[in-house]
Amino acid sequence: MNINAKYFGQISYEQEDTIHIINGLFGFESFTKYLPIPFHEDNDSLISLQSLEDETLSFIVMNPFGIFPDYAPLLSQEDLAELGTSSEKDISYYVISVVRDSIAETTVNLKAPLAVNALNRQAKQIILEQPEYTFRHTLGEITQKEDA
């Protein structure tokens, strides 16, 4: 199959490369089929999450552990069951980012990560109950905390 990806142009992919986001992303509930395209081969630190239902729709997501090593999202048993697993070991996390001109001003949403079951490719955006995470953490703020 092929898609004209927003940031990459014409891309070929297989069905098993896609992920299904249960109930879609917040604000984009009608779009549930996505193709994750890494910006760097063999590296999931920065990914274009390309909608397969609207070629103009793509989200930039990051692996939060590369920028925030102490990130520790907690999923409920209900969330795990909906993702088709009983083990958090099967789950990969990605955070939606808003890329700005300055890397320090780029924001990531640590409060509502995308949890992906790496085994069955089911995903769900979760709102965490943990108060230490917000919807907009700037990368500058995160790196300042790490330097302190």
Side-chain angles (χ1 to χ4, degrees):
M1 294 175 278
N2 294 309
I3 188 166
N4 186 27
K6 183 174 181 176
Y7 299 111
F8 295 92
Q10 200 64 228
I11 296 274
S12 294
Y13 68 95
E14 301 296 326
Q15 182 63 37
E16 58 267 14
D17 298 330
T18 67
I19 63 170
H20 173 259
I21 301 178
I22 301 162
N23 301 320
L25 294 170
F26 302 133
F28 298 88
E29 289 83 1
S30 61
F31 301 99
T32 60
K33 297 176 186 149
Y34 289 87
L35 177 65
I37 308 168
F39 279 93
H40 304 286
E41 198 172 322
D42 300 325
N43 183 333
D44 74 345
S45 62
L46 190 63
I47 293 174
S48 170
L49 191 59
Q50 175 66 52
S51 170
L52 295 174
E53 297 150 313
D54 181 347
E55 292 181 345
T56 66
L57 183 61
S58 179
F59 297 91
I60 304 300
V61 298
M62 295 180 178
N63 180 327
F65 303 104
I67 52 172
F68 196 64
D70 295 332
Y71 188 57
L74 299 172
L75 295 184
S76 69
Q77 289 303 312
E78 293 81 20
D79 289 330
L80 288 171
E82 195 168 7
L83 290 167
T85 186
S86 59
S87 173
E88 286 221 29
K89 292 178 182 173
D90 297 336
I91 305 297
S92 296
Y93 293 95
Y94 297 93
V95 292
I96 296 176
S97 63
V98 177
V99 179
R100 308 272 187 216
D101 289 336
S102 162
I103 295 293
E105 294 175 4
T106 293
T107 60
V108 292
N109 180 345
L110 297 177
K111 184 72 168 177
L114 182 63
V116 181
N117 181 330
L119 302 177
N120 67 11
R121 311 288 284 181
Q122 293 294 306
K124 182 178 180 186
Q125 190 173 20
I126 311 285
I127 295 183
L128 301 174
E129 299 290 329
Q130 297 158 270
E132 63 269 31
Y133 302 129
T134 67
F135 295 103
R136 285 193 186 128
H137 291 267
T138 65
L139 293 185
E141 161 197 335
I142 291 170
T143 55
Q144 285 174 357
K145 285 181 183 176
E146 289 173 357
D147 292 342

